[in-house]
Amino acid sequence: MGRLLDKVKIFEFSKVCDPRGNLSFIEEGCHVPFSIKRVFYIYDVPGGETRGGHAHRENSTVLIAVSGSFDLHLSDGEDEIVVRMNRANKGVLIPPGVWDSMHDFTTGTVCLALCDHHYEEEDYIRDLDEYNEFLKSLRN
Ligand code: TYD
């Protein structure tokens, strides 16, 4: 098994600059490598709060800070990377099996998430012991 963190991808979406304001666009299968089944967004995050804190068994997500900024921590149980999400045309692909958490939100941040699966609570791993068991099962 290769390193799960190597499957994380950072995208820079096109930005159409205009005196009237900038525009970026995302088409499924083109700018994100999957069909988009679900979109959700996180906003009005109180100062000091953390979001995420889980991995998925099957679901992949692309996160975008469409406004504001936050730190995205990604871990595969061994290594951790931190990506500062601070540009509206930057997307990070979180593949299945990668643990994510979101910290240090600035006021007014809006985080958009594009997913390749519908919402299913059974797809979440929210417990670290369960996560370690899941990682072990991947190695066997
Ligand atoms: P959760 O994914 O735990 O939030 P975070 O982004 O911080 O990881 O979701 C919080 C709650 O919202 C949880 O009770 C389930 C619900 N929810 C849905 O109903 N549909 C969704 O698509 C998502 C992402 C969450």
Side-chain angles (χ1 to χ4, degrees):
M1 186 184 85
R3 242 178 37 128
L4 277 171
L5 279 182
D6 291 339
K7 296 182 179 164
V8 170
K9 290 199 165 38
I10 300 184
F11 304 116
E12 188 169 331
F13 303 120
S14 297
K15 181 168 160 183
V16 185
C17 297
D18 190 298
R20 299 170 300 160
N22 300 331
L23 179 151
S24 293
F25 50 90
I26 298 165
E27 296 190 14
E28 64 175 18
C30 223
H31 310 102
V32 293
F34 53 67
S35 295
I36 299 166
K37 283 245 180 82
R38 175 166 57 105
V39 173
F40 69 93
Y41 38 99
I42 294 171
Y43 53 100
D44 289 347
V45 178
E49 283 297 344
T50 297
R51 300 288 316 213
H54 47 61
H56 286 278
R57 297 174 191 279
E58 304 275 343
N59 181 71
S60 293
T61 304
V62 171
L63 290 184
I64 305 155
V66 290
S67 181
S69 59
F70 63 91
D71 283 333
L72 176 61
H73 293 236
L74 299 172
S75 163
D76 61 5
E78 287 183 5
D79 299 314
E80 182 179 73
I81 56 172
V82 180
V83 184
R84 185 71 188 158
M85 302 295 289
N86 55 3
R87 291 204 316 273
N89 67 329
K90 176 178 181 172
V92 176
L93 172 72
I94 307 170
V98 168
W99 187 278
D100 76 82
S101 58
M102 301 151 75
H103 304 257
D104 296 318
F105 287 83
T106 54
T107 305
T109 293
V110 181
C111 172
L112 179 67
L114 312 174
C115 304
D116 67 346
H117 282 68
H118 289 148
Y119 173 75
E120 280 174 61
E121 185 54 37
E122 307 73 56
D123 189 59
Y124 279 78
I125 305 169
R126 297 183 184 273
D127 175 79
L128 274 175
D129 289 338
E130 196 184 340
Y131 182 54
N132 287 326
E133 285 304 312
F134 174 77
L135 291 175
K136 256 192 236 164
S137 75
L138 291 184
R139 283 186 211 111
N140 296 329

